[in-house]
RNA sequence: GCCCCUAUCGUCUAGCGGCUAGGACAGGAGAUUCUCAUUCUUCAAACCGGGGUUCGAUUCCCCGUGGGGGCACCA
């Protein structure tokens, strides 16, 4: 069996979005699954819309998601290869050569300053009511595509088409095919939106006297019902990879979710390590119908991953997050203290970007107090009495561990004929300003006696 | 308008001629925990319609309908 060579060929004309990432992922997975080669090729022929910033975003995003490329532009540890250059803007001479070949063999001709690819067959004229003009058509045999995902697809290609514009630039269909031939691409895995183009491409392969690669057209990602109809576009909420990076999602969670959009391992497994996905992924397992994007399921996947991160990794993720927050320097000033708190938060939060709000009161005395929670807590029992009792008891408590604090609090409650719950809510409100957080005993321990007392007193004063 | 693809809970999906149509997310209700979150239990929720083929269709075929994509000197 010949070597599998697949490519991902984005154009740097906009932000890198979910759909592109998924196409890249399926190519990458197939390459890794088969032990083949994953090529990154930049389709930057559209000079007006290209930008270096977008190009860099492609590199950064792929790198962040863990999709390393064996051949392509050099970026960090990725890239290189013998079939370059890997940017179409630098391959002009190759396109000229292929154009000449077609001209020489009579499969291309010039008209209106452009170069057209010539179909073989009897010609006739017909009025096209979509374009509202008369066009010349060619009676050709239908193109048969043996798609690895769709099965047999038959389509008529019945009009000559432009391969070089009158400004001298080659068009997408032409460069795409030429590059795939030159780079010895064996499998073309791309979005279903290209299925209709494939008949053109097949004719071009034939024109060059080359066997076409295997095609595999994957389903598209559609908007979720709340977002409306149609395929996901760059303007839709949650469509950009950059957004998840900024929200500090775990790239492996995003990749896992994306893999499940249009593919499944054949059983009920959903969360699975990338190595397992690589092992199980194959083209016949890819669905034929489009999938709607579900941000909630992605968020859940992210949480599931977050919960099981080893402590060191979680702290490092937290550090990346706080490095970008205005309060970051203060928060991370004391490494041990920071780590302690982050590990208290880890099992409780759903995403890293909640960390700031969730742990704020640990790092400043000037934290906000939730008025709604206050109202609720202060309405029940005699919270002010509990605060007073706590204030009196805390100085003598053993703050050396959660367990000793718990024992002390429970014995205080017992001595008053009350339960732990009678103190918990109001104490929590005093030290954290809210009703959600790590266990009260942990908060006490981390904060220390002095701050706990100070906050208990403060709440007593204002209430 | 023409061409191509597609169709199971709200969403992602399993099913590959005979099943109480399974799982997951989201939603409802309980339980556990010092709060919250997690976790656990539980409930509700689907085979687009019509024809065939067959002893028997969610499953195979055809026609509708719905959804998606394509029809450029864009990529």
């Amino acid at each position: 069996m010949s070597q599998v060579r697949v490519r991902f060929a984005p154009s740097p004309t906009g932000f890198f979005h979910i759909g592109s990432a998924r196409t890249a992922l399926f190519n990458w997975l197939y390459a890794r699954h088969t032990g083949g080669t994953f090529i990154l090729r930049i389709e930057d022929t559209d000079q007006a819309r290209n930008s270096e910033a977008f190009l860099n975003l492609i590199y950064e995003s792929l790198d962040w998601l863990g999709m390393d490329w064996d051949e392509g532009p050099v970026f960090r540890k990725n890239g290189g290869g013998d079939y370059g250059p890997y940017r179409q803007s630098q391959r002009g001479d190759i396109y000229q050569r292929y154009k000449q070949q077609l001209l020489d063999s009579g499969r291309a001709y010039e008209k209106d300053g452009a170069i057209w690819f010539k179909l073989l067959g009897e010609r006739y004229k017909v009025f096209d009511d979509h374009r509202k003009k008369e066009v010349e058509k060619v009676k050709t045999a239908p193109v048969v595509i043996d798609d690895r995902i769709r099965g047999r697809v038959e389509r008529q290609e019945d009009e000559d088409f432009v391969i070089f514009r009158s400004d001298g630039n080659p068009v997408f269909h032409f460069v795409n095919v030429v590059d795939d031939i030159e780079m010895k691409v064996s499998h073309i895995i791309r979005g279903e939106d290209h299925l209709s183009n494939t008949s053109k491409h097949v004719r071009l392969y034939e024109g060059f006297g080359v066997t076409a690669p295997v095609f595999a057209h994957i389903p598209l990602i559609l908007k979720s019902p709340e977002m409306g109809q149609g395929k996901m576009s760059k303007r839709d909420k949650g469509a950009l990879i950059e957004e998840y990076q900024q929200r500090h999602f775990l790239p492996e969670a995003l990749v896992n979710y994306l893999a499940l959009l249009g593919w499944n391992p054949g059983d009920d497994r959903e969360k699975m390590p990338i190595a397992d996905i690589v092992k199980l992924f194959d083209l016949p397992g890819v669905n034929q119908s489009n999938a709607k994007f579900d941000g909630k399921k992605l968020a859940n996947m992210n949480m599931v991953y977050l919960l099981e991160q080893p402590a060191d990794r979680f702290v490092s993720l937290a550090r990346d997050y706080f490095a970008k927050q205005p309060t970051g320097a203060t928060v991370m000033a004391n490494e041990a203290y920071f780590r302690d708190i982050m590990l208290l938060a880890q099992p409780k939060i759903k995403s890293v970007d909640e960390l700031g709000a969730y742990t704020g009161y640990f790092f400043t005395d000037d934290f906000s107090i939730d008025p709604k929670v206050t109202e609720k807590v202060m309405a029940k029992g005699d919270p002010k009495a509990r605060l007073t009792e706590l204030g009196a008891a805390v100085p003598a408590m053993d703050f050396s561990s959660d367990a000793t604090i718990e024992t002390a609090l429970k014995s205080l409650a017992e001595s008053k004929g009350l339960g732990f719950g009678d103190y918990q809510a109001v104490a929590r409100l005093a030290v954290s300003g809210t009703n959600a957080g790590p266990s009260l005993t942990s908060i006490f321990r981390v904060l220390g006696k002095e701050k706990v007392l100070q906050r208990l007193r403060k709440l007593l004063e204002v209430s």
Side-chain angles (χ1 to χ4, degrees):
Chain A
M1 207 174 117
S2 62
Q3 261 293 302
V4 166
R5 290 175 62 82
V6 292
R7 50 49 167 195
F8 172 56
S11 57
T13 54
F15 288 101
F16 195 66
H17 64 104
I18 290 280
S20 304
R22 212 274 246 89
T23 301
L25 178 62
F26 280 19
N27 276 282
W28 181 86
L29 284 171
Y30 192 63
R32 295 296 169 254
H33 175 75
T34 56
T37 305
F38 179 56
I39 304 164
L40 175 64
R41 179 173 78 226
I42 305 298
E43 307 217 333
D44 56 351
T45 51
D46 187 347
Q47 283 155 13
R49 293 194 298 151
N50 276 338
S51 98
E52 285 296 310
F54 287 140
L55 179 64
N56 210 55
L57 199 59
I58 291 170
Y59 298 155
E60 288 286 355
S61 299
L62 288 174
D63 198 56
W64 180 63
L65 292 169
M67 291 183 237
D68 52 326
W69 57 99
D70 307 304
E71 289 181 27
V74 176
F75 180 77
R76 294 190 186 135
K77 287 177 178 158
N78 305 295
D82 300 331
Y83 299 91
Y86 291 94
R87 292 179 62 166
Q88 288 183 336
S89 55
Q90 297 163 1
R91 297 173 64 80
D93 52 330
I94 297 169
Y95 305 138
Q96 289 301 325
R97 218 170 66 223
Y98 274 77
K99 177 177 81 175
Q100 198 54 50
Q101 184 192 331
L102 253 24
L103 252 13
D104 291 347
S105 63
R107 291 305 305 274
Y109 60 91
E110 189 184 332
K111 191 179 91 182
D112 305 331
I115 307 294
W116 297 68
F117 181 72
K118 185 181 184 181
L119 258 26
L120 270 20
E122 191 187 323
R123 281 157 195 273
Y124 61 102
K125 285 190 161 42
V126 67
F127 187 80
D128 181 310
D129 40 283
H130 183 69
R131 279 173 289 176
K132 311 261 189 285
K133 63 171 184 180
E134 189 174 71
V135 295
E136 186 183 66
K137 297 230 179 202
V138 186
K139 279 186 183 161
T140 58
V143 176
V144 176
I145 302 152
D146 183 20
D147 194 282
R148 286 289 285 276
I149 293 169
R150 315 264 147 198
R152 180 193 161 95
V153 177
E154 209 176 287
R155 219 185 96 88
Q156 203 76 33
E157 190 61 42
D158 58 4
E159 263 180 66
D160 288 354
F161 54 90
V162 169
I163 53 175
F164 269 76
R165 287 189 282 273
S166 48
D167 64 6
N169 288 314
V171 306
F172 162 74
H173 303 298
F174 182 83
V175 293
N176 201 263
V177 166
V178 168
D179 287 341
D180 286 338
I181 292 171
E182 280 283 300
M183 294 179 184
K184 298 189 167 22
V185 169
S186 64
H187 294 67
I188 296 181
I189 303 169
R190 52 162 43 153
E192 197 214 270
D193 47 343
H194 286 292
L195 188 53
S196 298
N197 292 328
T198 306
S199 45
K200 280 191 179 65
H201 298 180
V202 169
R203 287 292 183 241
L204 280 170
Y205 283 106
E206 290 168 0
F208 289 122
V210 176
T211 311
V214 174
F215 291 99
H217 287 92
I218 65 179
L220 266 24
I221 299 178
L222 271 28
K223 294 177 208 279
S224 64
E226 312 88 74
M227 294 191 292
Q229 300 251 292
K231 72 170 170 176
M232 194 108 166
S233 83
K234 302 177 198 231
R235 280 176 307 181
D236 289 315
K237 192 172 158 290
L240 304 180
I241 295 300
E242 203 188 10
E243 182 184 327
Y244 297 102
Q245 223 171 335
Q246 280 164 3
R247 288 170 62 191
H248 292 84
F249 270 60
L250 289 169
E252 55 268 49
L254 182 52
V255 164
N256 196 153
Y257 173 74
L258 250 24
L260 258 20
L261 224 45
W263 173 84
N264 70 80
D267 55 31
D268 285 341
R269 280 211 288 170
E270 296 207 326
K271 182 189 170 295
M272 45 203 302
I274 191 67
D276 291 7
I277 299 177
V278 165
K279 195 177 296 171
L280 264 19
F281 183 86
D282 207 352
L283 265 11
V286 177
N287 291 126
Q288 305 180 308
S289 54
N290 296 338
K292 294 194 174 92
F293 178 78
D294 183 359
K296 290 207 178 119
K297 186 145 184 167
L298 168 57
N300 176 266
M301 184 67 80
N302 186 58
M303 180 195 75
V304 172
Y305 268 87
L306 214 47
L307 282 173
E308 66 170 36
Q309 290 307 310
D312 286 346
R313 171 95 196 284
F314 185 82
V315 173
S316 146
L317 288 165
R319 206 170 273 129
D320 291 344
Y321 163 77
F322 278 107
K324 291 192 177 143
Q325 305 307 120
T327 57
T330 330
V331 169
M332 293 187 286
N334 182 331
E335 204 174 308
Y337 186 69
F338 175 74
R339 181 185 172 88
D340 210 350
I341 291 159
M342 291 309 120
L343 295 181
L344 286 181
Q346 183 182 3
K348 303 285 200 163
I349 58 165
K350 293 188 164 181
S351 65
V352 170
D353 62 350
E354 291 174 8
L355 239 24
Y358 196 81
T359 63
Y361 56 86
F362 281 108
F363 304 101
T364 174
D365 293 324
D366 188 27
F367 57 91
S368 64
I369 293 182
D370 190 326
K372 276 192 178 158
V373 175
T374 308
E375 199 182 322
K376 248 173 98 178
V377 170
M378 297 315 243
K380 244 169 78 182
D382 189 355
K384 292 177 84 168
R386 302 293 88 79
L387 278 178
T388 312
E389 289 156 14
L390 276 167
V394 163
M397 285 183 184
D398 180 356
F399 261 42
S400 56
S401 74
D402 282 15
T404 58
I405 294 169
E406 190 173 342
T407 308
L409 286 172
K410 281 190 172 155
S411 68
L412 166 66
E414 212 173 314
S415 73
K416 307 285 178 190
L418 297 165
F420 190 116
D422 294 300
Y423 293 89
Q424 189 276 134
V426 70
R428 178 181 298 280
L429 178 67
V431 296
S432 72
T434 179
N435 63 343
S439 74
L440 183 68
T441 52
S442 299
I443 300 177
F444 270 30
R445 174 179 53 78
V446 170
L447 242 25
K449 263 184 206 181
E450 199 179 315
K451 281 210 184 298
V452 168
L453 279 170
Q454 176 195 318
R455 292 182 184 189
L456 289 171
R457 254 181 260 125
K458 190 174 169 193
L459 182 62
L460 203 48
E461 281 163 24
V462 299
S463 57

